[in-house]
Amino acid sequence: MKQITNNILMIRPVAFRMNEQTLVNNYYQTADAVALPASINTKAQQEFDALVLKLNNVGVNVIVVDDTLDPSTPDSIFPNNWISFHENGDVGFYPMFAENRRLERREDILDILEDKGFVIEGIIDYSSAEEDGFYLEGTGSIVLDRANEKAYCALSPRSDEELFIEFCEYFDYAPIIFEAYQTIDGERKLIYHTNVMMCIGETFAVICADAIDDKQERKMVLENLKKDNKEIILINEKQLNNFSGNMLQVSGANGKGYLVMSSAAFESLSVRQKEQIENHVEILHSDLSTIEGHGGGSARCMMAEIFLEKH
């Protein structure tokens, strides 16, 4: 299986704002809530459009779908949490922790993709688990090493172990399960999404290993990455807080690899870390400060990778 794709789905926001329902366990939502929602949304749209333009300019095929005003979905800009696309033609739908995020699931997006020639064989829908209080938020909760058929998951209130194992059994991934923490007001708290603390590219992995407090678990995760010949690029917790774990490798024109990240993530990296990354791929970064501050997510969260075949 391929690890990276040239095809990306992105949802352009129409009413982006801070989502009060996700504040409880997303410690990355830090912005001042005083700003007017309309101006926040305008800034978010500008940041979104600038990133899409940069991706298009290097030959990434970005399929942009506009969000709808009704129902109100302040986090629709992060589609990777509710949908995933797989090489076998399957589409995954996922159970969401915040009730207003459940409204983001839209089957009409599948029609849009089919109209563009993508072949959808089936829908694997895990979303009913949210009725029983169990959540697994797509490729936010799960970081996939598709090529080596491994799936990494840091357990949290939004990433349920049993659901994750069910996903791995269906899609034939070996589950790598651990807990990752960050320090909030002097306390170690679970990181809500795996994709804020690690990113797996074709030949490298960026990871905040310090976030895995249990030494055995940390060793197990790093050994799995090493076994698959990934160069491990370590980041620290301060860099993690600047979204330097929330990156995604994509394929541009002529199959050239790019690691997409926010400017905050880029600026937090050391010269050495940038060199390590650039030994593998070119870095593409864009200012996402409004989206990060109010949404608590960054570049990786904004991109749902499409691995479906085309007619």
Side-chain angles (χ1 to χ4, degrees), residues 158-216:
R158 301 205 204 176
S159 305
D160 179 74
E161 184 168 4
E162 280 180 37
L163 272 179
F164 172 60
I165 289 168
E166 197 181 316
F167 165 91
C168 289
E169 282 171 355
Y170 180 83
F171 284 103
D172 217 11
Y173 283 101
I176 315 285
I177 299 167
F178 56 99
E179 287 182 340
Y181 294 85
Q182 62 194 134
T183 302
I184 305 293
D185 300 329
E187 269 182 79
R188 296 297 274 168
K189 300 247 176 117
L190 286 168
I191 288 176
Y192 78 112
H193 276 164
T194 315
N195 77 358
V196 298
M197 56 77 62
M198 72 182 294
C199 141
I200 297 178
E202 282 184 305
T203 52
F204 65 94
V206 177
I207 181 168
C208 182
D210 291 346
I212 307 172
D213 288 358
D214 184 290
K215 286 191 176 69
Q216 288 306 111

Side-chain angles (χ1 to χ4, degrees), residues 31-303:
D32 175 10
V34 178
L36 290 170
S39 69
I40 293 167
N41 183 64
T42 301
K43 280 185 182 158
Q45 286 177 332
Q46 288 164 350
E47 291 173 3
F48 177 95
D49 294 341
L51 176 58
V52 170
L53 183 63
K54 285 182 180 182
L55 290 165
N56 284 335
N57 285 345
V58 297
V60 179
N61 176 36
V62 184
I63 294 154
V64 175
V65 176
D66 283 311
D67 188 18
T68 52
L69 269 173
D70 189 39
S72 170
T73 48
D75 279 333
S76 61
I77 199 168
F78 306 131
N80 81 309
N81 297 139
W82 67 264
I83 195 166
S84 66
F85 304 96
H86 302 267
E87 266 186 70
N88 66 354
D90 282 332
V91 176
F93 278 12
Y94 297 92
M96 305 292 286
F97 169 81
E99 285 183 29
N100 61 8
R101 293 213 62 190
R102 298 169 193 176
L103 305 168
E104 292 172 32
R105 291 190 295 259
R106 289 169 52 184
E107 291 208 16
D108 66 308
I109 285 174
L110 304 186
D111 300 333
I112 292 166
L113 294 178
E114 285 182 321
D115 289 346
K116 292 186 180 292
F118 291 100
V119 181
I120 294 170
E121 299 290 351
I123 296 173
I124 311 303
D125 192 346
Y126 298 101
S127 63
S128 63
E130 67 200 13
E131 292 158 26
D132 300 314
F134 299 108
Y135 315 106
L136 186 70
E137 298 191 331
T139 53
S141 295
I142 307 165
V143 172
L144 293 174
D145 185 343
R146 294 172 190 257
N148 293 297
E149 298 177 343
K150 289 180 182 175
Y152 293 77
C153 182
L155 301 179
S156 80
R158 301 205 204 176
S159 305
D160 179 74
E161 184 168 4
E162 280 180 37
L163 272 179
F164 172 60
I165 289 168
E166 197 181 316
F167 165 91
C168 289
E169 282 171 355
Y170 180 83
F171 284 103
D172 217 11
Y173 283 101
I176 315 285
I177 299 167
F178 56 99
E179 287 182 340
Y181 294 85
Q182 62 194 134
T183 302
I184 305 293
D185 300 329
E187 269 182 79
R188 296 297 274 168
K189 300 247 176 117
L190 286 168
I191 288 176
Y192 78 112
H193 276 164
T194 315
N195 77 358
V196 298
M197 56 77 62
M198 72 182 294
C199 141
I200 297 178
E202 282 184 305
T203 52
F204 65 94
V206 177
I207 181 168
C208 182
D210 291 346
I212 307 172
D213 288 358
D214 184 290
K215 286 191 176 69
Q216 288 306 111
E217 288 184 354
R218 186 188 315 150
K219 187 169 177 239
M220 178 263 302
V221 170
L222 294 173
E223 278 177 356
N224 269 286
L225 294 168
K226 281 178 192 151
K227 210 182 290 172
D228 299 324
N229 298 317
K230 305 286 186 199
E231 182 188 353
I232 294 170
I233 300 164
L234 294 171
I235 56 171
N236 61 36
E237 189 166 336
K238 190 175 177 206
Q239 293 170 324
L240 172 94
N241 291 335
N242 282 291
F243 296 98
S244 62
N246 197 245
M247 307 165 163
L248 181 68
Q249 185 183 350
V250 298
S251 170
N254 306 317
K256 184 173 176 182
Y258 293 88
L259 187 62
V260 186
M261 65 185 76
S262 71
S263 296
F266 177 77
E267 284 154 18
S268 78
L269 295 174
S270 69
V271 173
R272 171 85 184 107
Q273 288 165 321
K274 289 172 188 169
E275 283 170 357
Q276 283 178 290
I277 291 167
E278 285 166 343
N279 284 336
H280 300 271
V281 285
E282 196 170 308
I283 293 174
L284 186 154
H285 68 91
S286 201
D287 174 32
L288 301 174
S289 49
T290 306
I291 292 165
E292 288 173 333
H294 290 87
S298 188
R300 195 281 166 263
C301 307
M302 294 167 67
M303 297 179 281

